Amino acid sequence: MRNPLLLSTLLLAGVAQAQECTIDLKGDDQMKFDKTTVEVSAACPEITIRLTHTGKLPVAAMGHNVVISASEVYQAVAQDGMKAGAAANYVPAGDARVLAHTKLVGGGESTTATIAGGVLKAGGKYTFYCSFPGHWAIMKGDLVVR
Ligand code: ZN
């Protein structure tokens, strides 16, 4: 690490990471997200969720979204989302337990959504998950807020 330019680049990257305001997830045709834990800062003025479907299957067969809920209610929300149906992105409408969600995307597509600052509290227990029927039981992870 004797290259000063490289060192300063790394330092800048460190500063940028000090406040994590983006949730970057990839979903694939194996019904998996590329991460099981994501971390954001409670101080973010706004948090951006970015979902990329890296697979090839269409949305009706292997649709993915990202939904954020408190961990203790996420399963119940996902079950209600299933009843809401595909046209509703498998997300119950107007449900306060849905803290944020993207739309469903299929292979090769991507989408974004935002969470207003202050919605996620430091130390809270949150889960990010895909609410597509059958996916949410395994296609999920911990959202850590610092
Ligand atoms: Zn999915």
Side-chain angles (χ1 to χ4, degrees), residues 10-44:
L10 288 173
L11 285 172
L12 279 173
V15 169
Q17 272 181 351
Q19 201 184 64
E20 281 291 351
C21 298
T22 303
I23 297 171
D24 212 343
L25 288 166
K26 293 181 177 63
D28 61 19
D29 284 344
Q30 277 71 52
M31 211 195 287
K32 279 198 304 235
F33 283 128
D34 64 330
K35 299 183 181 103
T36 52
T37 303
V38 295
E39 212 175 291
V40 295
S41 166
C44 292

PDB file of all heavy atoms in Angstrom, residues 10-44:
ATOM      1  N   LEU A  10      -8.714   4.626  -1.516  1.00  0.00           N
ATOM      2  CA  LEU A  10      -9.293   3.727  -0.515  1.00  0.00           C
ATOM      3  C   LEU A  10      -9.868   4.520   0.651  1.00  0.00           C
ATOM      4  O   LEU A  10     -10.919   4.183   1.185  1.00  0.00           O
ATOM      5  CB  LEU A  10      -8.225   2.742  -0.007  1.00  0.00           C
ATOM      6  CG  LEU A  10      -7.824   1.670  -1.016  1.00  0.00           C
ATOM      7  CD1 LEU A  10      -6.649   0.870  -0.498  1.00  0.00           C
ATOM      8  CD2 LEU A  10      -8.995   0.745  -1.317  1.00  0.00           C
ATOM      9  N   LEU A  11      -9.172   5.586   1.033  1.00  0.00           N
ATOM     10  CA  LEU A  11      -9.669   6.414   2.128  1.00  0.00           C
ATOM     11  C   LEU A  11     -10.992   7.057   1.741  1.00  0.00           C
ATOM     12  O   LEU A  11     -11.927   7.105   2.532  1.00  0.00           O
ATOM     13  CB  LEU A  11      -8.638   7.497   2.489  1.00  0.00           C
ATOM     14  CG  LEU A  11      -7.431   7.004   3.276  1.00  0.00           C
ATOM     15  CD1 LEU A  11      -6.390   8.113   3.401  1.00  0.00           C
ATOM     16  CD2 LEU A  11      -7.855   6.511   4.657  1.00  0.00           C
ATOM     17  N   LEU A  12     -11.079   7.536   0.519  1.00  0.00           N
ATOM     18  CA  LEU A  12     -12.323   8.140   0.048  1.00  0.00           C
ATOM     19  C   LEU A  12     -13.452   7.118   0.045  1.00  0.00           C
ATOM     20  O   LEU A  12     -14.576   7.409   0.433  1.00  0.00           O
ATOM     21  CB  LEU A  12     -12.142   8.706  -1.369  1.00  0.00           C
ATOM     22  CG  LEU A  12     -11.483  10.074  -1.446  1.00  0.00           C
ATOM     23  CD1 LEU A  12     -11.213  10.456  -2.884  1.00  0.00           C
ATOM     24  CD2 LEU A  12     -12.363  11.120  -0.774  1.00  0.00           C
ATOM     25  N   ALA A  13     -13.138   5.891  -0.386  1.00  0.00           N
ATOM     26  CA  ALA A  13     -14.149   4.832  -0.382  1.00  0.00           C
ATOM     27  C   ALA A  13     -14.623   4.581   1.039  1.00  0.00           C
ATOM     28  O   ALA A  13     -15.797   4.338   1.285  1.00  0.00           O
ATOM     29  CB  ALA A  13     -13.568   3.559  -0.997  1.00  0.00           C
ATOM     30  N   GLY A  14     -13.685   4.669   1.989  1.00  0.00           N
ATOM     31  CA  GLY A  14     -14.033   4.469   3.391  1.00  0.00           C
ATOM     32  C   GLY A  14     -14.990   5.523   3.882  1.00  0.00           C
ATOM     33  O   GLY A  14     -15.958   5.228   4.584  1.00  0.00           O
ATOM     34  N   VAL A  15     -14.750   6.763   3.482  1.00  0.00           N
ATOM     35  CA  VAL A  15     -15.627   7.860   3.893  1.00  0.00           C
ATOM     36  C   VAL A  15     -17.026   7.648   3.311  1.00  0.00           C
ATOM     37  O   VAL A  15     -18.032   7.802   3.981  1.00  0.00           O
ATOM     38  CB  VAL A  15     -15.043   9.218   3.436  1.00  0.00           C
ATOM     39  CG1 VAL A  15     -16.077  10.331   3.625  1.00  0.00           C
ATOM     40  CG2 VAL A  15     -13.785   9.533   4.225  1.00  0.00           C
ATOM     41  N   ALA A  16     -17.060   7.262   2.032  1.00  0.00           N
ATOM     42  CA  ALA A  16     -18.345   7.056   1.376  1.00  0.00           C
ATOM     43  C   ALA A  16     -19.128   5.939   2.059  1.00  0.00           C
ATOM     44  O   ALA A  16     -20.345   5.962   2.097  1.00  0.00           O
ATOM     45  CB  ALA A  16     -18.128   6.731  -0.100  1.00  0.00           C
ATOM     46  N   GLN A  17     -18.412   4.984   2.602  1.00  0.00           N
ATOM     47  CA  GLN A  17     -19.083   3.855   3.239  1.00  0.00           C
ATOM     48  C   GLN A  17     -19.545   4.158   4.653  1.00  0.00           C
ATOM     49  O   GLN A  17     -20.325   3.412   5.219  1.00  0.00           O
ATOM     50  CB  GLN A  17     -18.137   2.642   3.280  1.00  0.00           C
ATOM     51  CG  GLN A  17     -18.241   1.811   2.006  1.00  0.00           C
ATOM     52  CD  GLN A  17     -17.329   0.612   2.035  1.00  0.00           C
ATOM     53  OE1 GLN A  17     -16.492   0.486   2.926  1.00  0.00           O
ATOM     54  NE2 GLN A  17     -17.485  -0.273   1.086  1.00  0.00           N
ATOM     55  N   ALA A  18     -19.034   5.261   5.213  1.00  0.00           N
ATOM     56  CA  ALA A  18     -19.372   5.569   6.595  1.00  0.00           C
ATOM     57  C   ALA A  18     -20.886   5.738   6.744  1.00  0.00           C
ATOM     58  O   ALA A  18     -21.447   5.412   7.768  1.00  0.00           O
ATOM     59  CB  ALA A  18     -18.654   6.821   7.044  1.00  0.00           C
ATOM     60  N   GLN A  19     -21.536   6.251   5.707  1.00  0.00           N
ATOM     61  CA  GLN A  19     -22.976   6.394   5.768  1.00  0.00           C
ATOM     62  C   GLN A  19     -23.571   5.573   4.621  1.00  0.00           C
ATOM     63  O   GLN A  19     -23.592   6.003   3.475  1.00  0.00           O
ATOM     64  CB  GLN A  19     -23.355   7.864   5.638  1.00  0.00           C
ATOM     65  CG  GLN A  19     -24.732   8.152   6.192  1.00  0.00           C
ATOM     66  CD  GLN A  19     -25.130   9.603   5.963  1.00  0.00           C
ATOM     67  OE1 GLN A  19     -25.282  10.047   4.847  1.00  0.00           O
ATOM     68  NE2 GLN A  19     -25.319  10.325   7.045  1.00  0.00           N
ATOM     69  N   GLU A  20     -24.030   4.402   4.956  1.00  0.00           N
ATOM     70  CA  GLU A  20     -24.576   3.506   3.933  1.00  0.00           C
ATOM     71  C   GLU A  20     -26.028   3.863   3.660  1.00  0.00           C
ATOM     72  O   GLU A  20     -26.900   3.628   4.482  1.00  0.00           O
ATOM     73  CB  GLU A  20     -24.477   2.051   4.414  1.00  0.00           C
ATOM     74  CG  GLU A  20     -23.104   1.442   4.270  1.00  0.00           C
ATOM     75  CD  GLU A  20     -22.690   1.204   2.833  1.00  0.00           C
ATOM     76  OE1 GLU A  20     -23.540   1.354   1.927  1.00  0.00           O
ATOM     77  OE2 GLU A  20     -21.524   0.865   2.605  1.00  0.00           O
ATOM     78  N   CYS A  21     -26.272   4.434   2.502  1.00  0.00           N
ATOM     79  CA  CYS A  21     -27.627   4.875   2.175  1.00  0.00           C
ATOM     80  C   CYS A  21     -28.199   4.136   0.974  1.00  0.00           C
ATOM     81  O   CYS A  21     -29.213   4.561   0.413  1.00  0.00           O
ATOM     82  CB  CYS A  21     -27.638   6.382   1.943  1.00  0.00           C
ATOM     83  SG  CYS A  21     -27.133   7.319   3.408  1.00  0.00           S
ATOM     84  N   THR A  22     -27.544   3.070   0.566  1.00  0.00           N
ATOM     85  CA  THR A  22     -28.028   2.302  -0.566  1.00  0.00           C
ATOM     86  C   THR A  22     -28.082   0.827  -0.213  1.00  0.00           C
ATOM     87  O   THR A  22     -27.155   0.297   0.386  1.00  0.00           O
ATOM     88  CB  THR A  22     -27.114   2.495  -1.794  1.00  0.00           C
ATOM     89  OG1 THR A  22     -27.037   3.880  -2.091  1.00  0.00           O
ATOM     90  CG2 THR A  22     -27.664   1.751  -3.006  1.00  0.00           C
ATOM     91  N   ILE A  23     -29.188   0.199  -0.563  1.00  0.00           N
ATOM     92  CA  ILE A  23     -29.319  -1.251  -0.419  1.00  0.00           C
ATOM     93  C   ILE A  23     -29.255  -1.815  -1.829  1.00  0.00           C
ATOM     94  O   ILE A  23     -30.153  -1.588  -2.632  1.00  0.00           O
ATOM     95  CB  ILE A  23     -30.651  -1.619   0.258  1.00  0.00           C
ATOM     96  CG1 ILE A  23     -30.701  -1.048   1.678  1.00  0.00           C
ATOM     97  CG2 ILE A  23     -30.852  -3.138   0.277  1.00  0.00           C
ATOM     98  CD1 ILE A  23     -32.061  -1.185   2.346  1.00  0.00           C
ATOM     99  N   ASP A  24     -28.177  -2.506  -2.117  1.00  0.00           N
ATOM    100  CA  ASP A  24     -27.927  -2.984  -3.469  1.00  0.00           C
ATOM    101  C   ASP A  24     -28.062  -4.504  -3.474  1.00  0.00           C
ATOM    102  O   ASP A  24     -27.261  -5.191  -2.856  1.00  0.00           O
ATOM    103  CB  ASP A  24     -26.513  -2.572  -3.881  1.00  0.00           C
ATOM    104  CG  ASP A  24     -26.409  -2.314  -5.364  1.00  0.00           C
ATOM    105  OD1 ASP A  24     -27.312  -2.747  -6.113  1.00  0.00           O
ATOM    106  OD2 ASP A  24     -25.417  -1.681  -5.775  1.00  0.00           O
ATOM    107  N   LEU A  25     -29.079  -5.015  -4.151  1.00  0.00           N
ATOM    108  CA  LEU A  25     -29.314  -6.460  -4.130  1.00  0.00           C
ATOM    109  C   LEU A  25     -29.471  -7.002  -5.544  1.00  0.00           C
ATOM    110  O   LEU A  25     -30.015  -6.335  -6.420  1.00  0.00           O
ATOM    111  CB  LEU A  25     -30.588  -6.773  -3.336  1.00  0.00           C
ATOM    112  CG  LEU A  25     -30.495  -6.592  -1.819  1.00  0.00           C
ATOM    113  CD1 LEU A  25     -31.882  -6.588  -1.202  1.00  0.00           C
ATOM    114  CD2 LEU A  25     -29.644  -7.692  -1.185  1.00  0.00           C
ATOM    115  N   LYS A  26     -28.993  -8.209  -5.703  1.00  0.00           N
ATOM    116  CA  LYS A  26     -29.194  -8.917  -6.969  1.00  0.00           C
ATOM    117  C   LYS A  26     -29.968 -10.196  -6.682  1.00  0.00           C
ATOM    118  O   LYS A  26     -29.654 -10.920  -5.736  1.00  0.00           O
ATOM    119  CB  LYS A  26     -27.847  -9.250  -7.613  1.00  0.00           C
ATOM    120  CG  LYS A  26     -27.070  -8.033  -8.074  1.00  0.00           C
ATOM    121  CD  LYS A  26     -25.755  -8.431  -8.719  1.00  0.00           C
ATOM    122  CE  LYS A  26     -25.009  -7.202  -9.244  1.00  0.00           C
ATOM    123  NZ  LYS A  26     -24.619  -6.268  -8.166  1.00  0.00           N
ATOM    124  N   GLY A  27     -30.972 -10.462  -7.517  1.00  0.00           N
ATOM    125  CA  GLY A  27     -31.720 -11.711  -7.412  1.00  0.00           C
ATOM    126  C   GLY A  27     -31.462 -12.536  -8.658  1.00  0.00           C
ATOM    127  O   GLY A  27     -31.191 -11.968  -9.719  1.00  0.00           O
ATOM    128  N   ASP A  28     -31.532 -13.855  -8.543  1.00  0.00           N
ATOM    129  CA  ASP A  28     -31.201 -14.691  -9.700  1.00  0.00           C
ATOM    130  C   ASP A  28     -32.279 -15.743  -9.960  1.00  0.00           C
ATOM    131  O   ASP A  28     -33.325 -15.765  -9.305  1.00  0.00           O
ATOM    132  CB  ASP A  28     -29.820 -15.349  -9.512  1.00  0.00           C
ATOM    133  CG  ASP A  28     -29.780 -16.257  -8.285  1.00  0.00           C
ATOM    134  OD1 ASP A  28     -30.858 -16.668  -7.797  1.00  0.00           O
ATOM    135  OD2 ASP A  28     -28.664 -16.562  -7.823  1.00  0.00           O
ATOM    136  N   ASP A  29     -32.025 -16.598 -10.937  1.00  0.00           N
ATOM    137  CA  ASP A  29     -32.990 -17.646 -11.278  1.00  0.00           C
ATOM    138  C   ASP A  29     -32.964 -18.804 -10.279  1.00  0.00           C
ATOM    139  O   ASP A  29     -33.776 -19.729 -10.373  1.00  0.00           O
ATOM    140  CB  ASP A  29     -32.704 -18.184 -12.694  1.00  0.00           C
ATOM    141  CG  ASP A  29     -33.171 -17.206 -13.776  1.00  0.00           C
ATOM    142  OD1 ASP A  29     -33.958 -16.295 -13.456  1.00  0.00           O
ATOM    143  OD2 ASP A  29     -32.751 -17.364 -14.938  1.00  0.00           O
ATOM    144  N   GLN A  30     -32.034 -18.772  -9.336  1.00  0.00           N
ATOM    145  CA  GLN A  30     -31.968 -19.810  -8.298  1.00  0.00           C
ATOM    146  C   GLN A  30     -32.731 -19.373  -7.038  1.00  0.00           C
ATOM    147  O   GLN A  30     -32.570 -19.974  -5.977  1.00  0.00           O
ATOM    148  CB  GLN A  30     -30.516 -20.124  -7.931  1.00  0.00           C
ATOM    149  CG  GLN A  30     -29.843 -21.114  -8.875  1.00  0.00           C
ATOM    150  CD  GLN A  30     -29.568 -20.507 -10.249  1.00  0.00           C
ATOM    151  OE1 GLN A  30     -28.977 -19.440 -10.348  1.00  0.00           O
ATOM    152  NE2 GLN A  30     -30.020 -21.171 -11.301  1.00  0.00           N
ATOM    153  N   MET A  31     -33.551 -18.314  -7.201  1.00  0.00           N
ATOM    154  CA  MET A  31     -34.366 -17.842  -6.087  1.00  0.00           C
ATOM    155  C   MET A  31     -33.493 -17.409  -4.910  1.00  0.00           C
ATOM    156  O   MET A  31     -33.768 -17.719  -3.755  1.00  0.00           O
ATOM    157  CB  MET A  31     -35.306 -18.971  -5.618  1.00  0.00           C
ATOM    158  CG  MET A  31     -36.630 -18.482  -5.065  1.00  0.00           C
ATOM    159  SD  MET A  31     -37.471 -19.765  -4.161  1.00  0.00           S
ATOM    160  CE  MET A  31     -38.012 -20.831  -5.464  1.00  0.00           C
ATOM    161  N   LYS A  32     -32.432 -16.690  -5.226  1.00  0.00           N
ATOM    162  CA  LYS A  32     -31.533 -16.220  -4.169  1.00  0.00           C
ATOM    163  C   LYS A  32     -31.164 -14.755  -4.367  1.00  0.00           C
ATOM    164  O   LYS A  32     -31.024 -14.284  -5.489  1.00  0.00           O
ATOM    165  CB  LYS A  32     -30.238 -17.043  -4.171  1.00  0.00           C
ATOM    166  CG  LYS A  32     -30.369 -18.384  -3.459  1.00  0.00           C
ATOM    167  CD  LYS A  32     -28.992 -18.960  -3.103  1.00  0.00           C
ATOM    168  CE  LYS A  32     -28.081 -19.115  -4.286  1.00  0.00           C
ATOM    169  NZ  LYS A  32     -27.544 -20.447  -4.491  1.00  0.00           N
ATOM    170  N   PHE A  33     -31.008 -14.060  -3.239  1.00  0.00           N
ATOM    171  CA  PHE A  33     -30.365 -12.753  -3.268  1.00  0.00           C
ATOM    172  C   PHE A  33     -28.866 -12.969  -3.129  1.00  0.00           C
ATOM    173  O   PHE A  33     -28.427 -13.989  -2.578  1.00  0.00           O
ATOM    174  CB  PHE A  33     -30.848 -11.885  -2.092  1.00  0.00           C
ATOM    175  CG  PHE A  33     -32.218 -11.283  -2.276  1.00  0.00           C
ATOM    176  CD1 PHE A  33     -33.187 -11.444  -1.299  1.00  0.00           C
ATOM    177  CD2 PHE A  33     -32.527 -10.536  -3.405  1.00  0.00           C
ATOM    178  CE1 PHE A  33     -34.446 -10.878  -1.441  1.00  0.00           C
ATOM    179  CE2 PHE A  33     -33.788  -9.965  -3.553  1.00  0.00           C
ATOM    180  CZ  PHE A  33     -34.746 -10.137  -2.580  1.00  0.00           C
ATOM    181  N   ASP A  34     -28.098 -12.015  -3.588  1.00  0.00           N
ATOM    182  CA  ASP A  34     -26.640 -12.150  -3.490  1.00  0.00           C
ATOM    183  C   ASP A  34     -26.122 -11.818  -2.101  1.00  0.00           C
ATOM    184  O   ASP A  34     -24.945 -11.994  -1.826  1.00  0.00           O
ATOM    185  CB  ASP A  34     -25.941 -11.279  -4.549  1.00  0.00           C
ATOM    186  CG  ASP A  34     -26.183  -9.789  -4.340  1.00  0.00           C
ATOM    187  OD1 ASP A  34     -27.252  -9.418  -3.814  1.00  0.00           O
ATOM    188  OD2 ASP A  34     -25.306  -8.995  -4.706  1.00  0.00           O
ATOM    189  N   LYS A  35     -26.996 -11.328  -1.201  1.00  0.00           N
ATOM    190  CA  LYS A  35     -26.549 -11.000   0.158  1.00  0.00           C
ATOM    191  C   LYS A  35     -27.551 -11.544   1.173  1.00  0.00           C
ATOM    192  O   LYS A  35     -28.743 -11.634   0.881  1.00  0.00           O
ATOM    193  CB  LYS A  35     -26.446  -9.487   0.356  1.00  0.00           C
ATOM    194  CG  LYS A  35     -25.460  -8.804  -0.573  1.00  0.00           C
ATOM    195  CD  LYS A  35     -25.369  -7.311  -0.252  1.00  0.00           C
ATOM    196  CE  LYS A  35     -24.405  -6.620  -1.200  1.00  0.00           C
ATOM    197  NZ  LYS A  35     -25.103  -5.868  -2.245  1.00  0.00           N
ATOM    198  N   THR A  36     -27.058 -11.893   2.340  1.00  0.00           N
ATOM    199  CA  THR A  36     -27.954 -12.317   3.417  1.00  0.00           C
ATOM    200  C   THR A  36     -28.032 -11.246   4.506  1.00  0.00           C
ATOM    201  O   THR A  36     -28.864 -11.323   5.401  1.00  0.00           O
ATOM    202  CB  THR A  36     -27.480 -13.636   4.060  1.00  0.00           C
ATOM    203  OG1 THR A  36     -26.115 -13.489   4.435  1.00  0.00           O
ATOM    204  CG2 THR A  36     -27.609 -14.790   3.074  1.00  0.00           C
ATOM    205  N   THR A  37     -27.152 -10.257   4.421  1.00  0.00           N
ATOM    206  CA  THR A  37     -27.192  -9.132   5.352  1.00  0.00           C
ATOM    207  C   THR A  37     -26.866  -7.853   4.596  1.00  0.00           C
ATOM    208  O   THR A  37     -25.953  -7.847   3.782  1.00  0.00           O
ATOM    209  CB  THR A  37     -26.138  -9.304   6.475  1.00  0.00           C
ATOM    210  OG1 THR A  37     -26.357 -10.539   7.142  1.00  0.00           O
ATOM    211  CG2 THR A  37     -26.255  -8.178   7.494  1.00  0.00           C
ATOM    212  N   VAL A  38     -27.643  -6.820   4.830  1.00  0.00           N
ATOM    213  CA  VAL A  38     -27.287  -5.507   4.311  1.00  0.00           C
ATOM    214  C   VAL A  38     -27.313  -4.527   5.476  1.00  0.00           C
ATOM    215  O   VAL A  38     -27.993  -4.751   6.486  1.00  0.00           O
ATOM    216  CB  VAL A  38     -28.241  -5.027   3.190  1.00  0.00           C
ATOM    217  CG1 VAL A  38     -28.140  -5.919   1.970  1.00  0.00           C
ATOM    218  CG2 VAL A  38     -29.673  -4.959   3.675  1.00  0.00           C
ATOM    219  N   GLU A  39     -26.546  -3.462   5.323  1.00  0.00           N
ATOM    220  CA  GLU A  39     -26.405  -2.515   6.413  1.00  0.00           C
ATOM    221  C   GLU A  39     -26.661  -1.111   5.903  1.00  0.00           C
ATOM    222  O   GLU A  39     -26.188  -0.740   4.822  1.00  0.00           O
ATOM    223  CB  GLU A  39     -24.960  -2.611   6.925  1.00  0.00           C
ATOM    224  CG  GLU A  39     -24.827  -2.351   8.397  1.00  0.00           C
ATOM    225  CD  GLU A  39     -23.391  -2.588   8.845  1.00  0.00           C
ATOM    226  OE1 GLU A  39     -22.957  -3.752   8.841  1.00  0.00           O
ATOM    227  OE2 GLU A  39     -22.720  -1.607   9.173  1.00  0.00           O
ATOM    228  N   VAL A  40     -27.434  -0.356   6.647  1.00  0.00           N
ATOM    229  CA  VAL A  40     -27.650   1.047   6.295  1.00  0.00           C
ATOM    230  C   VAL A  40     -27.471   1.897   7.544  1.00  0.00           C
ATOM    231  O   VAL A  40     -27.455   1.393   8.666  1.00  0.00           O
ATOM    232  CB  VAL A  40     -29.059   1.311   5.704  1.00  0.00           C
ATOM    233  CG1 VAL A  40     -29.236   0.605   4.377  1.00  0.00           C
ATOM    234  CG2 VAL A  40     -30.140   0.924   6.685  1.00  0.00           C
ATOM    235  N   SER A  41     -27.369   3.196   7.316  1.00  0.00           N
ATOM    236  CA  SER A  41     -27.222   4.128   8.422  1.00  0.00           C
ATOM    237  C   SER A  41     -28.569   4.774   8.730  1.00  0.00           C
ATOM    238  O   SER A  41     -29.291   5.191   7.827  1.00  0.00           O
ATOM    239  CB  SER A  41     -26.197   5.195   8.059  1.00  0.00           C
ATOM    240  OG  SER A  41     -26.271   6.263   8.977  1.00  0.00           O
ATOM    241  N   ALA A  42     -28.884   4.871  10.014  1.00  0.00           N
ATOM    242  CA  ALA A  42     -30.137   5.514  10.428  1.00  0.00           C
ATOM    243  C   ALA A  42     -30.106   7.006  10.119  1.00  0.00           C
ATOM    244  O   ALA A  42     -31.148   7.657  10.074  1.00  0.00           O
ATOM    245  CB  ALA A  42     -30.367   5.292  11.920  1.00  0.00           C
ATOM    246  N   ALA A  43     -28.921   7.550   9.881  1.00  0.00           N
ATOM    247  CA  ALA A  43     -28.785   8.987   9.644  1.00  0.00           C
ATOM    248  C   ALA A  43     -29.030   9.371   8.189  1.00  0.00           C
ATOM    249  O   ALA A  43     -29.057  10.557   7.874  1.00  0.00           O
ATOM    250  CB  ALA A  43     -27.387   9.437  10.063  1.00  0.00           C
ATOM    251  N   CYS A  44     -29.241   8.407   7.328  1.00  0.00           N
ATOM    252  CA  CYS A  44     -29.422   8.725   5.908  1.00  0.00           C
ATOM    253  C   CYS A  44     -30.656   9.600   5.704  1.00  0.00           C
ATOM    254  O   CYS A  44     -31.722   9.295   6.242  1.00  0.00           O
ATOM    255  CB  CYS A  44     -29.608   7.450   5.095  1.00  0.00           C
ATOM    256  SG  CYS A  44     -28.138   6.410   5.016  1.00  0.00           S
TER     257      CYS A  44
END
